[in-house]
């Protein structure tokens, strides 16, 4: 049996299935990115460049260099794992540059055993994405993300306002300033 063939057993008969006949690449100009805190590993198709696996730092200038490299190669779509919050900066840069960015739940590519390094992870993400096997996570539009940030900031400030008022009240009590007694007297009159 050839390496790319799998024998499927059924109750009636066995037959060989050639995986290369069953699966066809649906995207040719794609990249896979394995994201980490301080370094991002990328993989593109070997037919685009012989140096098809590279790593980039996590600073903004590094992310722009990665996007430039993708543009030079004619990459149309980029798949990346959703790892903590590390993906957000790269996602926005790639989205602004016009790439189709697919954010993938980290569980999907990790389900295959045997991959132990970041280099093999980015290569595996690239391979799965080229076959169209990675479902994209839902990411709201830029306007919704921006509005959501404002709403969360307002909620945080409101919560902090109450905490600060409590701290001021406690400080006044420790200084024996009876502001509560004065307020009660003013309410009665």
């Amino acid at each position: 049996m050839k390496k790319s063939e799998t024998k499927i057993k059924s109750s009636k008969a066995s037959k060989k299935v050639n995986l290369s006949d069953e699966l066809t690449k649906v995207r040719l100009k794609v990249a896979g990115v394995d994201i980490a805190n301080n370094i991002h590993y990328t993989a593109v198709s070997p037919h685009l460049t012989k140096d098809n696996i590279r790593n980039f730092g996590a600073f903004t200038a590094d992310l722009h260099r990665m996007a430039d490299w993708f543009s030079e190669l004619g990459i149309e779509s980029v798949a990346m794992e959703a790892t903590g919050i590390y993906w957000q900066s790269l996602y926005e840069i790639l989205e602004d540059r016009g790439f189709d960015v697919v954010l993938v739940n980290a569980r999907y590519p990790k389900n295959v055993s045997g991959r132990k390094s970041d280099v093999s992870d980015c290569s595996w993400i690239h391979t799965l994405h080229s076959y169209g096997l990675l479902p994209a996570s839902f990411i709201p539009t830029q306007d919704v993300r921006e509005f959501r940030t404002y709403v969360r900031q307002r909620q945080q400030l409101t919560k902090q306002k109450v905490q600060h008022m409590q701290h001021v009240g406690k400080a006044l009590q420790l200084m024996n300033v009876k502001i509560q007694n004065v307020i009660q007297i003013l309410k009665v009159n």
Side-chain angles (χ1 to χ4, degrees):
M1 183 178 350
K2 293 181 184 175
K3 188 175 184 179
S4 64
E5 294 178 348
T6 304
K7 195 171 189 176
I8 300 175
K9 293 183 179 182
S10 68
S11 58
K12 296 182 180 178
S14 323
K15 65 178 185 175
K16 293 180 181 178
V17 176
N18 190 339
L19 293 179
S20 60
D21 291 341
E22 296 295 321
L23 293 175
T24 57
K25 290 187 176 185
V26 293
R27 297 177 170 148
L28 297 177
K29 295 186 176 183
V30 298
V33 182
D34 182 59
I35 298 175
N37 178 24
N38 57 349
I39 196 162
H40 303 327
Y41 288 90
T42 63
V44 297
S45 296
H47 74 276
L48 296 175
T49 179
K50 58 183 166 180
D51 182 22
N52 67 319
I53 296 178
R54 288 189 181 178
N55 60 11
F56 294 89
F59 293 106
T60 304
D62 301 322
L63 302 181
H64 282 287
R65 274 198 307 279
M66 182 191 309
D68 292 340
W69 185 57
F70 289 160
S71 294
E72 290 170 11
L73 296 175
I75 298 296
E76 297 167 355
S77 182
V78 179
M80 64 177 76
E81 284 183 344
T83 308
I85 61 169
Y86 304 131
W87 61 271
Q88 291 178 347
S89 299
L90 179 60
Y91 185 92
E92 289 182 7
I93 288 171
L94 294 175
E95 186 181 49
D96 289 344
R97 296 278 191 103
F99 293 101
D100 173 32
V101 186
V102 176
L103 184 67
V104 179
N105 187 323
R107 280 185 272 163
Y108 296 131
K110 298 274 188 219
N111 281 338
V112 177
S113 61
R115 297 173 303 98
K116 302 288 188 217
S117 70
D118 292 332
V119 173
S120 58
D121 279 351
C122 72
S123 182
W124 182 242
I125 293 167
H126 166 262
T127 301
L128 291 176
H129 188 48
S130 66
Y131 285 107
L133 296 174
L134 293 176
S137 298
F138 171 74
I139 303 294
T141 63
Q142 176 64 29
D143 293 338
V144 172
R145 292 192 312 256
E146 187 175 332
F147 180 70
R148 186 171 56 187
T149 301
Y150 289 135
V151 169
R152 288 177 178 168
Q153 178 66 14
R154 183 181 184 280
Q155 288 173 339
Q156 187 66 28
L157 291 174
T158 303
K159 184 189 283 186
Q160 289 175 352
K161 178 181 117 179
V162 171
Q163 291 171 343
H164 288 306
M165 288 174 54
Q166 291 170 340
H167 289 171
V168 168
K170 183 177 179 181
L172 290 173
Q173 284 293 340
L174 290 173
M175 292 184 287
N176 204 24
V177 176
K178 304 293 186 184
I179 195 77
Q180 293 296 336
N181 295 347
V182 174
I183 292 173
Q184 286 178 355
I185 292 171
L186 291 175
K187 281 185 183 178
V188 174
N189 292 335

